[in-house]
Amino acid sequence: MAARSNTPTLNIRTPYLKSTLTIEEWEAKAPLGDLETKSVAAIKAASERRPVLQLSAARPSQEDSGPASRPSTPLQRVKLGPGSRPPTPVLRQPAVAHAHALHPKQPVQTPQQFYDWFALIDRSVAHSQEAHFRQHLLRVSEHLDTCDRLVGRIDQVDAEVASMLDKWKSVEEGGKSLQDASQKLLDERDQLVELQGAIGTTLEYFQELEHATRLLNHPGESLVLQTDFLYMVERVDVCIEFLKSHRNYKEAEVYLLRFQQCMTRAMTLIKMYFVGSLRALTQDVSRRLFEQDVSDTAQLHLLYTRFTTVAGQLAPLLGEFERRARAHPEELGALLSECHAAYFSVRKNLLVSRLTEQIRGLDPTRTELVELTRAGCSYLKQTCTEEFDLYREFFSSGKEELYQYLETLCDYLYDDLRPRILHEPRLTVLCEVCTVLQALMVLDQPLDDEIEEDEEKNDELGRLHIRQLLQMVLQDAQTRLFFKAQAVIQSEIRYYTPTAQDLAYPDKLVAAQGAQTGYEIREKQSISRLFEGPGLGQRETWFPTLAKTVWVLSQLHDFPVIFYDLAHEAVSLCHASLLGAADSVRAKSAFDSQLFLVRHLLILREITRNLDLAQKDEPQGGGGSGGADQYGVADTLASVLSRTSTLLPGSLFTSLAGTRAEHLTDAKRGIVQDLRHACEAVISTLSEPLCAPLRAFTGRPASAAEAAVLDEAFRSACARDLRAGIARVRLYVPDTRTAGVLVQHALDRVEDAYSAFSLAARQVGARAGKGQDCLMDDALLKQLLQDVRGDEADGAGLPPPAQA
């Protein structure tokens, strides 16, 4: 096969021509391989052993042979197997009837015939020798034809493949277009399905109208108790909200109006059922209340427990009603108000008789005002609390209507209490009434955890604020208290006319040292300590206007709005009255007048200082630690109670409260200025009788004898006049420290004057030291003044010091 592959391919497909191709050329162009060589050798060997022809027997006739230019192809072909030599050809004996084709048809007679016959034999041999080449050539030609057919087929297949590829590409493009079209159809289908779902969802809102209308057409008020009723109401509410937000839909306004009508019908059914239930319950409760021998416990059971039981069934319906009314106030607000009005009417009809009976039992015309206020307001607070709790069992809205209803209940007591307050003449009673009302308000103050709980619940009603119900009567009481206190200030301070006993100083002071009995301000001392202190004792020795001022302010201290507005007026008028009383005392003794003014102005200044401190502590709240540390537990409680007085309308005291701080400052400044002048006068009165002769000696020529006489007179005056003056100061100013300040200033002036006198006397020959006719040195002078100052003479019966 390898040798065959080296054989050149013949492109000539025409039959073999001997004249154009020789054996050598063939050998050159188509060399034989081993197998072919063996085949040729076998043929050659076979041809060499050919038998001797029997010419006589096998010679054919001339007629049978015909013209033959070349011998025919041998009938016997030797089949050569691979790798073996062909067998020796066996000549078959021709049949007797048929002669061999190579046999001469006629006997050979001439050399030409022999040559012709030999040529025929030669050609036959040559033809026999070239047969395998022709056969191989034929096979090669067949292979070439096969290859040509294969090439053509391949070309055809290639063309088919190219055509298939083109068609595949066309199909691919068509498939992609089909896929895009299919995807588009799927998207459109999804959009249509989604649109169908959206339309179906939207239509559900419109289709709900039929269901709601059919349900509402069922007869009977018990429809509201069916489980489908509240669900239908919820669906109608959702449909209304949907249609309000999609008014662009076709017939949306029509459906919206119909749904609103359905909602109104549903809420009307709830209202009718609620009103009917209340009426039935009210008739039963009223019938039992008017029966004889109904105890208070039974009445409370009928009035509250029975209603609480019914509230458990009605509360869910009313809760849905209130929620819809908040969402649609224009359509449902009036219906809800009718429910509130029906409830309040029923409750008022049941409570009025019981309430009036309880108030009548308090005997408003003869009971003390304070006790009536305490008992009546406590009962009203309890009743309002019970009514508030019962109302919350039914409703969670209508706060304003609820408080109006509770105020109508309170009016039954206020109608009797208000005239008593407005005609009450006693200031202390009015103060106690205000204190009782404020105490009830303070108890109404919520704790921090209660405030947080209310914020977490986010309830519209919250908790009951009793202060709103007590506010009116408190305003009346505080208004009456304000004008009554103002009248007291005007009549008993501004226009007070002192008597001789009121101006009997220092006799009143001397008498007070013997016995601590007499006029004392006892009102409300257990509440306020604002006007207590080391310099505020012995009030029975005070001038009446000062005592009345302290009494009024102590009564009003628990009511800051009134207190600070009237404090300036009271202090200013008291200051003016003290100045007038001092002028009256001056007619008897100028020194007593000065000490009277110092004594009372010191007390008034202490009062204004306490007012300043209290006003500074007021913004911090009455319960602050500072107030408790300064005034004690009782005043801390009083300050806590005073917080509720801010419920007074701001317009009542606007004209006074606007300049409260400025007025108090001005009053304090005037008191301090007059106190300074009075103290200067007292110091001058004590020191001037002693200092004037000494200053006169230093201002003129003198002798040592005159200095000795003057020194003796100075010692006598110190022992007599200065000692009496100091005792008188201590009598008027009981506070040791305050009196010591006044005395020390006077002694300092005396000491300075005597030192100047001693220096001038020594210049004219006087001697200083111990002994007769000797001036006092600094140590002796200090000792003398200390002895005079340390004497505890009370000054009773002593003449006043000489005037300068």
Side-chain angles (χ1 to χ4, degrees), residues 299-338:
Q299 291 182 5
L300 290 176
H301 171 74
L302 292 173
L303 290 175
Y304 295 101
T305 307
R306 290 287 303 277
F307 277 82
T308 303
T309 304
V310 175
Q313 183 181 15
L314 296 177
L317 297 175
L318 295 175
E320 293 295 328
F321 195 170
E322 290 176 320
R323 189 160 67 90
R324 300 307 185 283
R326 284 192 294 268
H328 312 287
E330 298 82 3
E331 298 84 3
L332 304 178
L335 288 176
L336 183 60
S337 298
E338 292 178 6

Side-chain angles (χ1 to χ4, degrees), residues 253-485:
E253 295 294 336
V254 177
Y255 275 87
L256 177 60
L257 179 60
R258 292 181 179 177
F259 275 119
Q260 289 175 346
Q261 291 174 353
C262 291
M263 179 63 71
T264 304
R265 289 181 60 189
M267 297 301 104
T268 303
L269 290 176
I270 293 178
K271 186 204 76 171
M272 295 174 60
Y273 182 76
F274 171 69
V275 174
S277 300
L278 282 184
R279 288 177 179 175
L281 180 61
T282 303
Q283 292 176 358
D284 183 44
V285 171
S286 300
R287 179 177 56 81
R288 296 191 180 186
L289 284 177
F290 286 107
E291 294 178 356
Q292 296 180 356
D293 299 334
V294 179
S295 63
D296 293 339
T297 304
Q299 291 182 5
L300 290 176
H301 171 74
L302 292 173
L303 290 175
Y304 295 101
T305 307
R306 290 287 303 277
F307 277 82
T308 303
T309 304
V310 175
Q313 183 181 15
L314 296 177
L317 297 175
L318 295 175
E320 293 295 328
F321 195 170
E322 290 176 320
R323 189 160 67 90
R324 300 307 185 283
R326 284 192 294 268
H328 312 287
E330 298 82 3
E331 298 84 3
L332 304 178
L335 288 176
L336 183 60
S337 298
E338 292 178 6
C339 291
H340 292 160
Y343 174 83
F344 293 139
S345 176
V346 166
R347 295 300 302 173
K348 186 176 181 180
N349 292 334
L350 291 175
L351 288 177
V352 165
S353 59
R354 183 170 182 264
L355 185 62
T356 53
E357 181 181 355
Q358 291 290 337
I359 294 176
R360 194 181 303 113
L362 296 177
D363 194 5
T365 58
R366 288 179 293 183
T367 305
E368 278 294 329
L369 180 59
V370 178
E371 183 60 28
L372 176 63
T373 303
R374 180 182 294 107
C377 291
S378 298
Y379 173 72
L380 283 181
K381 180 180 179 181
Q382 179 183 358
T383 302
C384 291
T385 302
E386 293 173 349
E387 286 297 308
F388 183 84
D389 295 337
L390 180 61
Y391 181 83
R392 291 187 64 173
E393 295 291 334
F394 288 91
F395 301 97
S396 62
S397 62
K399 182 177 181 180
E400 183 177 356
E401 294 83 354
L402 173 61
Y403 278 94
Q404 290 177 358
Y405 162 70
L406 296 179
E407 288 176 0
T408 58
L409 297 182
C410 295
D411 288 340
Y412 288 95
L413 174 64
Y414 294 168
D415 291 341
D416 295 326
L417 187 61
R418 187 178 293 109
R420 292 284 306 274
I421 292 175
L422 296 180
H423 294 85
E424 177 59 47
R426 295 169 294 180
L427 185 66
T428 54
V429 172
L430 293 174
C431 291
E432 292 180 4
V433 169
C434 293
T435 302
V436 169
L437 296 174
Q438 289 182 155
L440 293 175
M441 291 183 177
V442 168
L443 296 176
D444 185 54
Q445 292 287 339
L447 300 177
D448 293 339
D449 53 352
E450 294 179 354
I451 296 177
E452 294 178 358
E453 183 178 356
D454 292 340
E455 291 177 353
E456 292 176 358
K457 291 182 179 179
N458 195 17
D459 191 1
E460 180 182 350
L461 295 178
R463 56 187 304 277
L464 176 62
H465 298 286
I466 199 68
R467 63 175 61 238
Q468 298 185 17
L469 305 176
L470 300 178
Q471 181 177 358
M472 294 185 298
V473 66
L474 179 62
Q475 288 180 357
D476 294 337
Q478 288 185 334
T479 302
R480 174 59 180 163
L481 178 61
F482 176 81
F483 289 113
K484 179 60 180 177

Side-chain angles (χ1 to χ4, degrees), residues 82 156 287 376 471 662 673 709 729 756 798:
Q156 183 180 1
R287 179 177 56 81
Q471 181 177 358
E662 292 80 359
Q673 184 176 359
V709 173
V729 170
L798 295 178

Side-chain angles (χ1 to χ4, degrees), residues 486 489-490 493-494 565-574 656:
Q486 195 175 43
I489 291 173
Q490 293 292 327
I493 298 178
R494 183 176 183 178
D565 291 330
L566 294 177
H568 164 258
E569 182 180 1
V571 170
S572 299
L573 294 178
C574 181
L656 294 175

